Amino acid sequence: MSQETADLLKVYLPTLEKKNRNLHLFPSNGESHISDEWLNRLLQNLAVKADIDLNGKDLTFHCFRKMFLSTAIDSGIGLTAGKKLCGKAIAQSDDTYLTTVHLREKFIQLKRFLAIQEQPKIETEKIESLKNIVNKLQEDLTQQRMITDTISQENVRVKKEIGKLEPLLEFINGFEDEKQLQLFMGLLKTSLVIDFREKGAFLRTDFS
């Protein structure tokens, strides 16, 4: 018997004092044990309270034996040892050779997979807090991606605009120094004159 089972029995057994005439571990209201049908209804009611979707399958106490034997295989103790532990019949031809099987060790190995441990409240709150942080980080990441995409599009647009200015930059870089550029711009400014014609006015530039 595991320590977990022992602790549960210490809480459960005192509740049987009022039914001292019924010697069964799980007594009914009469003098017998509870029926399979009653236990199955109890499990189904618990599933409803826990909001468990059964997907149309029947929930009965027999499901625990299926879980037990499946876990026996997954835990490495084997199906035969699992059958002996849960009281399921084993072929006599196989049982003859199981005299040296140490079921206590098998049980200890198996219960590591079946033990139910209540999650501390503080740990639950910590997990919920971490979930909220992760959700906030995901929202921030989405916003950052949108900003990055917008900046990338703007960079492409600016690059195209700069490309249009390359001829002007080549023209400016053609001067040997800044003074020559200033001199050229001054001459360009003073050389602009207005020439009136019948159909309108336009700028005429004269270069020496």
Side-chain angles (χ1 to χ4, degrees), residues 117-132:
Q117 296 180 352
E118 183 178 0
Q119 196 173 39
K121 182 178 180 181
I122 185 172
E123 185 174 342
T124 303
E125 294 176 351
K126 186 184 298 184
I127 291 176
E128 290 298 325
S129 177
L130 290 176
K131 286 182 179 179
N132 294 334

Side-chain angles (χ1 to χ4, degrees), residues 68-69 71-85 106 109:
F68 187 92
L69 293 177
T71 307
I73 297 174
D74 294 336
S75 65
I77 72 171
L79 181 59
T80 302
K83 287 182 177 181
K84 289 185 74 70
L85 286 173
K106 300 292 185 183
Q109 180 178 343

